[in-house]
Amino acid sequence: MTDFATNIARDDQSWTWILRIDGLGPALSGAELAAADSDGRYRFCTAIPDYAASMPSSVWQDLLTEIPAPLRERVTDLGGATELGSLTIELLDGDDLLTQEIRTERPPLTRLSQTIDTNDTSVGVDSTTGLSADDNVWNGAEAMRITVVGGSSITVQRGALNTDPTVHDEDSEVYQSINFLRGRRAYLHIAPIDGDSSADEEELGAWVIDSLEWSEDLNRWVLLASSQLKPLARQIPLQPRRMRAEAVNGDPSNDAEVILSIPPQTRASDLRLWTTNTTPDVFYVRHESGEVMTLTGDANGFVGTRLRTYRRDLLRTGRAELKADEVFHQVFMAEPSAPGSFRYSPGPSPSTSRTSGTWTPVAHFIPVMAILLTSSAREGDGLELTNYVAARGNFASLPPGFGVGYPAGNIDWDSWFDVWNRTPDYLFPYFVFGDEAVEFGELVTHNFLRPMGAYFITSAGLAKIVLPRLPLIGSAVLTIGEANILKRPVGGRRQYLPRVSVRRDRASQASAIRYIVGPNTKAPVTFHSAEFGATFGQGGYYGTDEKPIDIHVPAGDPDTPEIYARRGLSRLWRTRRPRIEVDGDFDASVWSGLPLGDVGELTLAELPNLAAGLRGWDSVLVQHLEAEPRGQEGAGGGFYTNSRMLGYGPDVRIGRVAPSAHIVEVSDGVIAIVTTNRYTHTDAQSPLPTNDAAGFHVDDVVRILNLDGTDAGGGATETVVSVAGDDIELSGDFGGLMAAGQVLDYANYDDADPQQTSRYAFMSDATNLTPGSSNDDAWLYGEP
Amino acid sequence: MSVPNYLIATPIRFAAASYTLRVDVGGTTEDLTVGFTVGRNYWLSGDGQADADGGVGGVGDLLRVVSTALGTHTEITGGYAALNSSFLVELGSLDGGDNITIDWPNSTLDESIFGFADAIVGPTADAVVGTLMPRGLWRPMKAATVDSRDRQPIVGGISAAVSGRTRVSRFATPLREREIEIARLHQSVTLAEYAPATEPYGTLEEAWINSMSLGRPFRLYEDETVRTSSSYGLYRTKDLGEPYDRDPRYNVRWRANLSMRRVV
């Protein structure tokens, strides 16, 4: 028995591919459903795994005629959300199972005798003839499992077979078989044959079924499906809140009183505003001209029909002349102070009420995305203010219908907080949302991910944020070498070639990165390579291509150009250099161990090192941009990934802040006991150090300084021998000069150990921009 | 001088960390604990190698493990488990004292691995002997007719200019490869269909389907009578094509063609 990770590491892996389709499953008793992990859908698979023995045999159908492909997953080097390719699935109609189950032309058995809400479990029907307990019935897109059949009603479990409970109207049709296939979600998993349970299944992706074909011999059903990476495809908001101005009193371009046609005497709490009962309620609206303003209700907490303007032209797009009959939409704006509408309640004991506890308005893109992702998708889904992981805080704060409704437990919060902590000033105070329905993936890609070069991916079933950077010293990095690269035979006499192709691409080469920041900026922040001739060359690699890359940041603050200077410089460098792309077949450890957008190390002989003029790449950093998990029979097959990676080049050096530590005591002559947190903070996210001593690593070469910055060690250096708690043991005591009150610091560049300098530059000569007196390149850019 | 017969050993794996073996010696019945590492490879070799991963997923001699367990019986001073010259497993005591009985029905250790029936065996003086070929061994009763020996493949390429100037790239020297052919196999050691009652697991088909084609490592001994810790090569199959067919030169016999790659 084995789990997924263990099986990946084995040399004798055995896998099964498993396909589930929402709304398609057999009738199961309550006990059988429980045994099937409360998931009654069919598992169409290539082989039945060992753990299926404890489940009802009817749910496992080894009918896949081939391993589904292709499943290409990709991101761009500029950041964004994952894109998935389409999927073709071939199922054998063994024992005519599919013909019997997928009777989409079957007439309805009965109709609802009442309208039912999403939570109703007692359902009135015109007739119960032909219905039995444990049967599934279908109404619209939802499947329901019957538990009790009464005279004129049935008791059901809602949302059976992984469908979504929805409102159903009286007289809507009730079917005895799945009523349609097109538009249903299909999920593909892979699992070790000898896995312990369904928990060892790894999701490869989700698709929406588009069409159905039959094979020439009519034995196989061929399903064609397009990608749907939940939750990226979810449209938010479900229903924008539209209001009409009945009258405008006063100065229409200034402090007018706007009378809106919203329900009279509506309490602020009905709109889920951030409110108390003692202050007027303030909320954001977007006028049809595009102007965003705040309106305020009356002193009793009612928004009523008479509202006064509070602030105008929040996006600097110009003031409109407000008139009666014009349309307003309620919107949500990420202002970092009240009345900012994106708020979260910090953990570990977050509030679950808008009128109590701490609710912090935020403009940072990570919490704003978390709020959009975890907030309730619709009334009655039970997620409003409750969909959170306590230790991380409550982000599910938008009103129902404005969020994606993604389970907070399915989020890799470590990755989200890591990026948040690394980028505290990446604020988007002009982010406005809510007046039109848009796909979540498109919304966050356009507003946040692409501007910042970050990625939204799903890995191991968890939603993850990746902001690539070079690994820190001591960080775990996936290394890819000849043991991970598949080979193919050429000729017949024990000759092989690695299954990789390498090319140097100029497709996205650009001479400039232009950030167009803010909702209405006329002055883009532009970074042109000519401005950085001293660092990475002012001349173009290809002089004919001067096309800039425009990155629009509509929610960004044009008054903080320094943020975009930092991001622009690194991205200019990456896109300015003609890219080296590595495309090849790698073993499954690359697929499971290197999420898309993340950075690993590639070692491969014979690849030209264009910096050193030698052959061979040794631990060269590569960014994983595309992955296609493949299963293939025969030699060279098994479970592996075809991946595309972007090489950073063999000689990149990143600017980093070097660690420091204030010595409070010297023990045993060579142990510097240092202040715990003078330069670091306890809440730093891994792999950043949470105490000062942890910033140092064994073999680092260090020096000691006085507080005025002068050398206190007579020019001597020592080497770190060990680090434990606040104790840094050194190879010596600087000739007896080490004392309390001094600062431990990295040695000069020329004296440092290669681990301190091979990828990082921590100080440079201000005149010639070279580190120390060496001939090494200066640092190219900094990164968070 | 006869040419020694080849032998292929396939690994035995256990799903639990311990099993019991009920042993009676001179009226003293004890349930002995036989301990394993779950998922590790064990070999019915009798080469005495200790239970260890060895960097290859397991090198332990299964007979040594059982021998150690027998030694924990209070009435046994020299427990042993071994393959006799007929490749049957013997379980017993070296001291030659009391009669020994193995109670397989009341043991959780799988008797079929060692070639015993699910019955009480004994009492017998010194040792009890299995009646079937143990699992995990394929004895072709032949030597190889063709053996490439271990050969070094190359991952690399070669290009030449029009002028004839040549550049060679070499990326790696992968694990060595080997092909063997064993001709004129008897059907009883080839197909499970013809397996004799005394050797139900002794066919190439059994080894192929249940172990080698799953990617499990296997040992190739060039002399089935010499099974020491250094007398074998450890391989995996490098081809999932069926490794046996009718011998074209003698059609009532069979021929095995095994393509393999070194594990380390």
Side-chain angles (χ1 to χ4, degrees):
Chain A
M1 307 295 269
T2 184
D3 59 22
F4 184 83
T6 305
N7 205 46
I8 279 280
R10 282 184 3 192
D11 289 330
D12 55 349
Q13 305 159 3
S14 297
W15 301 101
T16 179
W17 276 256
I18 304 162
L19 178 84
R20 292 174 172 85
I21 298 173
D22 283 357
L24 189 57
L28 297 175
S29 68
E32 288 174 324
L33 185 60
D37 295 337
S38 301
D39 180 354
R41 291 174 293 173
Y42 282 117
R43 281 84 159 161
F44 300 109
C45 57
T46 54
I48 296 176
D50 295 348
Y51 60 82
S54 60
M55 297 186 182
S57 58
S58 59
V59 300
W60 285 95
Q61 301 290 340
D62 47 354
L63 297 176
L64 282 173
T65 58
E66 58 183 29
I67 296 168
L71 314 165
R72 200 157 192 86
E73 204 178 354
R74 63 170 63 87
V75 295
T76 75
D77 57 324
L78 292 175
T82 313
E83 298 172 19
L84 269 183
S86 61
L87 176 68
T88 301
I89 309 146
E90 289 198 4
L91 292 168
L92 183 77
D93 192 15
D95 296 329
D96 288 349
L97 176 79
L98 303 178
T99 301
Q100 292 164 15
E101 289 288 311
I102 306 177
R103 297 173 61 182
T104 54
E105 307 298 323
R106 192 179 192 181
L109 183 71
T110 184
R111 294 173 184 272
L112 294 188
S113 61
Q114 62 177 114
T115 296
I116 58 171
D117 205 343
T118 54
N119 298 316
D120 292 334
T121 55
S122 180
V123 178
V125 290
D126 291 346
S127 168
T128 59
T129 303
L131 295 176
S132 304
D134 299 339
D135 280 353
N136 293 312
V137 290
W138 286 258
N139 187 324
E142 183 184 356
M144 306 177 207
R145 179 176 169 274
I146 300 174
T147 55
V148 176
V149 179
S152 59
S153 67
I154 51 177
T155 304
V156 297
Q157 289 176 338
R158 301 294 302 274
L161 306 175
N162 202 44
T163 57
D164 296 325
T166 55
V167 174
H168 299 287
D169 295 331
E170 184 179 353
D171 289 333
S172 59
E173 296 159 326
V174 177
Y175 294 89
Q176 245 181 324
S177 321
I178 188 168
N179 46 352
F180 63 88
L181 213 52
R182 189 170 185 273
R184 299 271 183 194
R185 292 176 301 229
Y187 302 85
L188 190 64
H189 290 78
I190 186 172
I193 289 281
D194 56 352
D196 296 328
S197 71
S198 56
D200 289 329
E201 295 175 6
E202 188 85 352
E203 185 175 312
L204 296 178
W207 288 262
V208 172
I209 295 173
D210 281 336
S211 64
L212 171 63
E213 298 173 2
W214 284 269
S215 63
E216 206 170 24
D217 60 7
L218 301 180
N219 288 325
R220 286 167 286 143
W221 293 49
V222 183
L223 302 175
L224 305 176
S226 56
S227 72
Q228 191 207 33
L229 194 62
K230 282 173 60 180
L232 296 174
R234 176 87 71 175
Q235 295 267 341
I236 52 173
L238 207 56
Q239 181 69 51
R241 286 177 174 167
R242 186 175 184 275
M243 296 165 276
R244 190 178 60 80
E246 291 188 346
V248 176
N249 301 319
D251 181 354
S253 62
N254 200 352
D255 195 14
E257 179 187 62
V258 183
I259 301 174
L260 293 176
S261 62
I262 56 180
Q265 299 298 294
T266 301
R267 271 198 175 275
S269 56
D270 296 328
L271 293 180
R272 271 77 164 183
L273 303 178
W274 298 105
T275 183
T276 68
N277 287 328
T278 57
T279 58
D281 306 302
V282 179
F283 64 104
Y284 296 88
V285 293
R286 190 195 285 271
H287 179 250
E288 63 183 49
S289 67
E291 182 191 349
V292 173
M293 64 192 81
T294 59
L295 297 178
T296 182
D298 67 19
N300 295 317
F302 290 96
V303 292
T305 58
R306 287 181 176 272
L307 300 167
R308 292 182 294 110
T309 55
Y310 185 74
R311 284 192 294 149
R312 297 285 303 267
D313 194 20
L314 298 180
L315 299 185
R316 306 185 201 176
T317 53
R319 294 189 177 203
E321 292 278 331
L322 306 180
K323 300 184 187 68
D325 290 332
E326 289 179 333
V327 173
F328 292 77
H329 284 96
Q330 185 189 2
V331 293
F332 301 83
M333 187 165 174
E335 288 195 295
S337 56
S341 19
F342 287 89
R343 302 193 189 194
Y344 80 104
S345 187
S349 302
S351 170
T352 56
S353 165
R354 289 191 179 83
T355 56
S356 64
T358 301
W359 287 96
T360 307
V362 285
H364 193 279
F365 77 108
I366 291 294
V368 169
M369 284 176 55
I371 290 166
L372 290 168
L373 191 62
T374 59
S375 290
S376 163
R378 55 185 164 74
E379 290 280 2
D381 66 7
L383 299 179
E384 184 184 9
L385 299 172
T386 64
N387 181 27
Y388 64 88
V389 172
R392 299 302 191 167
N394 189 352
F395 294 85
S397 59
L398 293 180
F402 285 86
V404 172
Y406 192 75
N410 289 354
I411 292 175
D412 179 355
W413 288 105
D414 279 348
S415 72
W416 290 61
F417 275 74
D418 172 52
V419 175
W420 189 358
N421 289 335
R422 284 162 51 194
T423 61
D425 53 353
Y426 284 16
L427 305 180
F428 293 81
Y430 291 97
F431 178 64
V432 174
F433 156 79
D435 54 325
E436 61 178 355
V438 60
E439 281 190 4
F440 171 74
E442 182 185 327
L443 180 74
V444 298
T445 294
H446 178 63
N447 282 285
F448 308 128
L449 299 175
R450 193 162 185 263
M452 293 295 102
Y455 298 91
F456 181 102
I457 63 168
T458 55
S459 176
L462 300 178
K464 186 172 181 177
I465 294 290
V466 174
L467 184 63
R469 65 169 172 181
L470 266 63
L472 299 177
I473 297 172
S475 297
V477 183
L478 185 75
T479 57
I480 306 162
E482 63 181 62
N484 309 104
I485 299 169
L486 305 192
K487 58 184 169 57
R488 64 181 174 88
V490 288
R493 294 188 302 162
R494 303 188 199 286
Q495 184 194 347
Y496 299 87
L497 275 173
R499 282 156 57 173
V500 292
S501 62
V502 185
R503 66 176 178 273
R504 190 159 180 167
D505 187 13
R506 54 174 292 198
S508 69
Q509 177 208 343
S511 61
I513 298 286
R514 187 164 61 192
Y515 274 97
I516 301 166
V517 184
N520 191 32
T521 185
K522 298 290 190 295
V525 185
T526 304
F527 300 90
H528 197 280
S529 61
E531 299 164 24
F532 304 99
T535 50
F536 47 86
Q538 60 182 2
Y541 284 80
Y542 299 98
T544 56
D545 190 350
E546 290 300 312
K547 192 177 73 172
I549 291 178
D550 284 345
I551 299 176
H552 294 265
V553 198
D557 184 353
D559 294 333
T560 57
E562 67 277 5
I563 296 171
Y564 307 100
R566 290 201 298 271
R567 291 306 289 161
L569 187 57
S570 67
R571 303 177 81 184
L572 176 60
W573 182 80
R574 288 190 198 176
T575 56
R576 177 72 182 124
R577 292 169 66 92
R579 310 181 311 176
I580 293 181
E581 292 186 358
V582 180
D583 199 337
D585 292 334
F586 303 90
D587 70 0
S589 65
V590 172
W591 181 78
S592 63
L594 191 62
L596 287 189
D598 224 340
V599 173
E601 293 177 342
L602 175 67
T603 296
L604 184 60
E606 299 289 350
L607 272 178
N609 180 333
L610 300 181
L614 300 170
R615 291 277 180 166
W617 280 17
D618 184 11
S619 301
V620 172
L621 295 167
V622 292
Q623 185 179 8
H624 199 189
L625 295 182
E626 292 184 19
E628 180 181 323
R630 288 181 177 172
Q632 184 176 307
E633 296 168 358
F639 177 44
Y640 67 97
T641 180
N642 176 262
S643 286
R644 188 170 70 89
M645 301 177 187
L646 176 64
Y648 278 34
D651 195 23
V652 62
R653 187 166 284 108
I654 304 301
R656 281 272 161 79
V657 177
S660 298
H662 179 246
I663 301 171
V664 293
E665 183 184 342
V666 176
S667 173
D668 295 335
V670 293
I671 298 175
I673 303 174
V674 302
T675 304
T676 303
N677 288 113
R678 174 166 287 200
Y679 303 104
T680 58
H681 198 278
T682 53
D683 65 359
Q685 292 288 305
S686 176
L688 292 176
T690 54
N691 64 307
D692 292 3
F696 292 88
H697 296 83
V698 172
D699 294 335
D700 284 349
V701 180
V702 296
R703 60 180 178 174
I704 45 175
L705 301 174
N706 295 309
L707 290 181
D708 62 3
T710 56
D711 190 292
T717 62
E718 302 291 353
T719 301
V720 175
V721 173
S722 68
V723 179
D726 293 332
D727 298 352
I728 303 173
E729 183 180 354
L730 304 172
S731 54
D733 61 358
F734 298 92
L737 295 173
M738 184 164 65
Q742 297 166 342
V743 174
L744 199 66
D745 191 18
Y746 266 16
N748 284 324
Y749 187 90
D750 291 338
D751 298 326
D753 185 82
Q755 74 175 4
Q756 297 166 273
T757 60
S758 62
R759 286 181 180 157
Y760 316 109
F762 51 86
M763 61 180 61
S764 292
D765 183 284
T767 304
N768 58 21
L769 297 179
T770 59
S773 60
S774 76
N775 292 320
D776 287 346
D777 290 338
W779 68 279
L780 298 170
Y781 56 88
E783 60 183 11
Chain B
M1 175 181 152
S2 63
V3 180
N5 294 334
Y6 277 37
L7 173 71
I8 284 180
T10 53
I12 310 286
R13 291 179 177 178
F14 294 89
S18 71
Y19 295 85
T20 59
L21 179 64
R22 179 166 293 184
V23 179
D24 181 285
V25 178
T28 303
T29 301
E30 294 179 8
D31 284 335
L32 310 180
T33 298
V34 190
F36 300 100
T37 299
V38 174
R40 180 175 283 180
N41 295 328
Y42 293 86
W43 307 86
L44 249 161
S45 59
D47 62 13
Q49 290 195 74
D51 180 4
D53 179 77
V56 291
V59 297
D61 174 17
L62 180 54
L63 295 173
R64 174 172 163 162
V65 174
V66 176
S67 174
T68 301
L70 287 172
T72 63
H73 195 289
T74 53
E75 298 299 320
I76 295 178
T77 53
Y80 82 97
L83 274 180
N84 65 19
S85 58
S86 301
F87 282 80
L88 299 176
V89 172
E90 291 184 2
L91 306 176
S93 166
L94 288 175
D95 59 3
D98 296 311
N99 291 342
I100 185 169
T101 301
I102 306 289
D103 184 351
W104 288 111
N106 285 301
S107 302
T108 59
L109 189 64
D110 183 355
E111 69 283 347
S112 71
I113 295 170
F114 304 93
F116 286 87
D118 187 20
I120 296 173
V121 187
T124 308
D126 300 337
V128 295
V129 182
T131 55
L132 310 170
M133 269 274 291
R135 289 189 170 200
L137 296 175
W138 179 57
R139 298 176 66 203
M141 314 295 282
K142 302 277 185 191
T145 41
V146 178
D147 188 340
S148 71
R149 313 302 299 173
D150 284 352
R151 308 284 283 275
Q152 179 62 64
I154 299 292
V155 179
I158 187 165
S159 300
V162 175
S163 66
R165 289 190 62 179
T166 300
R167 187 177 191 285
V168 176
S169 61
R170 200 174 92 173
F171 295 89
T173 50
L175 296 167
R176 288 173 175 261
E177 299 172 346
R178 182 173 183 176
E179 291 85 29
I180 62 171
E181 177 190 294
I182 306 176
R184 297 198 174 191
L185 288 172
H186 194 272
Q187 62 186 20
S188 63
V189 298
T190 308
L191 295 183
E193 176 186 359
Y194 300 114
T198 54
E199 297 186 8
Y201 307 112
T203 63
L204 177 56
E205 184 179 6
E206 164 76 17
W208 174 249
I209 297 299
N210 293 321
S211 188
M212 296 162 73
S213 65
L214 290 169
R216 307 245 164 100
F218 57 88
R219 291 178 177 179
L220 176 66
Y221 295 88
E222 291 165 20
D223 183 345
E224 65 175 7
T225 63
V226 181
R227 300 183 306 278
T228 68
S229 60
S230 59
S231 66
Y232 63 86
L234 191 65
Y235 300 89
R236 262 184 237 282
T237 185
K238 75 179 186 77
D239 189 342
L240 284 178
E242 192 179 42
Y244 40 85
D245 60 358
R246 290 275 183 190
D247 191 326
R249 287 160 292 189
Y250 194 57
N251 239 336
V252 297
R253 293 278 181 151
W254 293 77
R255 178 181 64 174
N257 278 295
L258 295 169
S259 294
M260 58 193 94
R261 184 176 287 126
R262 278 276 191 178
V263 169
V264 289

